[in-house]
Amino acid sequence: MSPQEVIAFLNEYLSEMTGAIREWVAISITLSAMPLWPCLARRVDQPNREWAAVAAALAMRERLVELNRRRAARGEAPIDNGIGISAGEAVAGQIGSLERLMYTVIGDTVNVAARLER
């Protein structure tokens, strides 16, 4: 893919996944790593947050089916994704140096979710 095609692909994919997540969770943080995965975050006092995460994952799978239909119509290969859900504490914030900061989440909960999504 050309750089422009990669940007278009990522924007389309992340728009679909964010749309699915927003229906079920208060905050979505997209972690840019290989592979890309959404990290579902919720306020601690929010009831049923684990069920909301499962519902969001199912909505993401439905959106992926629709995205792949559009991709097929354009002659593009289908894509797949992995979804990992882990409940627990994590630290969220700006991480890096003064020259380059990125907002991310870290902790055992995040690591478990990353391993489950494979």
Side-chain angles (χ1 to χ4, degrees), residues 17-18 20-31 37-57 60 83-93 103-106 109-110 113:
M17 297 303 107
T18 300
I21 292 166
R22 289 263 184 237
E23 297 174 27
W24 296 101
V25 296
I27 303 167
S28 68
I29 305 165
T30 302
L31 299 175
W37 72 89
C39 174
L40 307 178
R42 216 41 162 152
R43 291 190 320 261
V44 173
D45 62 347
Q46 187 76 37
N48 299 317
R49 63 184 177 272
E50 291 86 1
W51 286 109
V54 172
M60 290 169 65
I83 301 169
I85 297 171
S86 179
E89 293 184 12
V91 176
Y103 187 81
T104 191
V105 290
I106 59 172
T109 301
V110 178

Side-chain angles (χ1 to χ4, degrees), residues 38-107:
C39 174
L40 307 178
R42 216 41 162 152
R43 291 190 320 261
V44 173
D45 62 347
Q46 187 76 37
N48 299 317
R49 63 184 177 272
E50 291 86 1
W51 286 109
V54 172
L58 294 172
M60 290 169 65
R61 299 306 289 176
E62 291 173 7
R63 294 260 187 142
L64 186 64
V65 169
E66 292 303 316
L67 175 59
N68 279 329
R69 284 188 185 137
R70 290 195 311 270
R71 290 179 58 79
R74 297 189 302 247
E76 298 168 348
I79 61 170
D80 197 10
N81 66 2
I83 301 169
I85 297 171
S86 179
E89 293 184 12
V91 176
Q94 297 286 346
I95 304 216
S97 68
L98 293 176
E99 289 82 27
R100 185 170 191 271
L101 288 173
M102 63 184 252
Y103 187 81
T104 191
V105 290
I106 59 172

